[in-house]
Amino acid sequence: MKKIAQSLIPQFLSCVGGAMDLFVPVRMSGAANWGIWDKNRTVDLDTLKTVKSPKDVFFPQCQTMYTVHHADAGYTIDPMKLTSQPFCVFGIRPCDVRALTVMDQVFLAEPEDTFYRARRENAILLSLACHRPAQTCFCSVFSIDAAQSDGADVMMWMIGQDLWLEGQTDKGNGFLEQFSELLEDADDGACVEEEKESIRAITRKLPYSGLSLEGWGEGRTDEKFDDPNWEQLSDACLACGTCTFVCPTCQCYDIKDYDTGHGIQRYRCWDSCMYSDFTLMAAANNRTTQMQRFRQRFMHKLVYFPTNNDGMFMCVGCGRCVDRCPQSLNIVKVIKTMEKGREEEQA
Ligand code: SF4
Ligand code: SF4
């Protein structure tokens, strides 16, 4: 176990940022979002949830895949270079670490996404426990521990005036060794155990901690697809796509070409199943109403994905959609409404 005084964190980040790319939550325009560390930026480790999740670091919102140049003898294709150097993601929360495991099921399945794999392999994840989980958090429903992320290379806890760090993988231990100059050896961390217990106690009392997933998951397609509740649930949806853009597990994208004047860039950018032109084909559109699109999003997260991925849900309970939907529609509302319908049916 290591620790560092909070007052020395800027110096520590400066060392790390000087040696490799360093992604941190930064304060910009009154909100916290992920960005590359720079000494002029304000690092924000206090805000629990960044507006957008760190999925941007692994699956950028907009990413050039290759550029085509016209040459005398025809065309040349310049693929984008893959990430080949280690980089650090500092302060990622346990739910967002789990979200990467969900994304792995998609991007690392055959045929695997080489851009994503290169970034996953080179990333060093330093996860920060959630000192005070928010009222809209429900990660525990998906068996995520806000006090301890097993998928991170280093786990961190902010306790009083100190940041405690514990290496969890060879990569994490190597990182702590590399930047050991500012870190001090700490005792067995009794205060870390207390902190974990405190976080778990808060988590148990959160309003959505008792949310039941009974009735969702593998093989529930027939049961849920024609549920009459979809109509009224989706009625107020504006199709703005906010829920999909802030979600750490939504991973749909579109591919487009752009003429730069010096070549054609083929790029991909996030898309949303909530949009009316999503997967629009020349022959037809397979989801013509907002109800169908709305249903697709939640069926994918709560039924189709677990059906195809050994029961793994495509939600980590981060609560961003609960915080951000302008119409107060979200996955919690869907689960609760359907659950109520189920209870009434069984009564
Ligand atoms: S559910 Fe809410 S956030 Fe999502 S598209 Fe509809 S209105 Fe927008
Ligand atoms: S559906 Fe909502 S709560 Fe679940 S991971 Fe996405 S944004 Fe978070």
Side-chain angles (χ1 to χ4, degrees), residues 17-277:
M20 59 178 75
D21 279 350
L22 167 61
F23 291 88
V24 283
V26 286
R27 197 97 204 134
M28 287 180 287
S29 312
N33 258 312
W34 285 84
I36 281 270
W37 174 87
D38 177 294
K39 65 179 177 357
N40 299 316
R41 290 182 130 175
T42 307
V43 177
D44 182 351
L45 296 176
D46 295 328
T47 300
L48 188 68
K49 292 182 230 185
T50 48
V51 177
K52 283 196 294 174
S53 78
K55 82 175 173 190
D56 233 343
V57 174
F58 298 88
F59 167 46
Q61 185 162 352
C62 194
Q63 178 177 38
T64 299
M65 301 165 81
Y66 56 85
T67 307
V68 180
H69 296 284
H70 196 220
D72 290 343
Y75 295 94
T76 59
I77 296 178
D78 295 330
M80 274 304 285
K81 281 202 180 74
L82 298 179
T83 305
S84 58
Q85 297 297 320
F87 66 93
C88 173
V89 183
F90 185 93
I92 181 171
R93 302 291 178 169
C95 60
D96 287 336
V97 175
R98 170 68 72 81
L100 291 175
T101 312
V102 173
M103 302 261 285
D104 289 349
Q105 306 299 310
V106 178
F107 288 116
L108 300 183
E110 285 296 332
E112 71 174 24
D113 187 302
T114 49
F115 295 107
Y116 180 83
R117 174 172 285 287
R119 296 196 74 73
R120 265 306 251 145
E121 282 181 351
N122 281 289
I124 305 165
L125 301 179
L126 275 73
S127 180
L128 180 59
C130 304
H131 177 61
R132 200 164 283 280
Q135 295 289 298
T136 52
C137 295
F138 54 105
C139 61
S140 62
V141 170
F142 299 97
S143 307
I144 296 166
D145 185 355
Q148 175 85 53
S149 170
D150 294 334
D153 297 302
V154 174
M155 192 63 215
M156 308 190 291
W157 298 266
M158 193 72 83
I159 306 171
Q161 294 308 305
D162 293 317
L163 179 70
W164 292 67
L165 305 94
E166 185 175 45
Q168 302 195 130
T169 61
D170 290 347
K171 206 194 256 186
N173 286 323
F175 176 89
L176 294 179
E177 191 55 43
Q178 186 181 350
F179 298 102
S180 59
E181 216 167 286
L182 285 167
L183 303 173
E184 54 179 288
D185 287 328
D187 56 29
D188 63 355
C191 66
V192 169
E193 290 310 313
E194 276 173 34
E195 169 71 356
K196 286 185 196 172
E197 280 318 306
S198 154
I199 293 170
R200 289 168 188 153
I202 296 172
T203 306
R204 282 194 290 274
K205 289 184 191 149
L206 294 175
Y208 304 144
S209 63
L211 202 63
S212 169
L213 292 173
E214 212 182 312
W216 296 97
E218 290 177 79
R220 302 287 184 157
T221 304
D222 290 347
E223 188 185 321
K224 287 286 186 281
F225 194 82
D226 291 323
D227 193 301
N229 283 301
W230 290 118
E231 278 297 349
Q232 58 97 5
L233 273 168
S234 61
D235 206 31
C237 178
L238 304 172
C240 66
T242 301
C243 49
T244 51
F245 276 58
V246 298
C247 180
T249 63
C250 279
Q251 75 298 118
C252 292
Y253 62 85
D254 196 6
I255 294 180
K256 292 187 173 177
D257 293 337
Y258 175 68
D259 185 352
T260 64
H262 308 284
I264 305 293
Q265 271 182 355
R266 173 151 288 191
Y267 67 97
R268 68 175 172 189
C269 53
W270 294 355
D271 203 346
S272 171
C273 56
M274 290 298 208
Y275 295 158
S276 57
D277 61 354

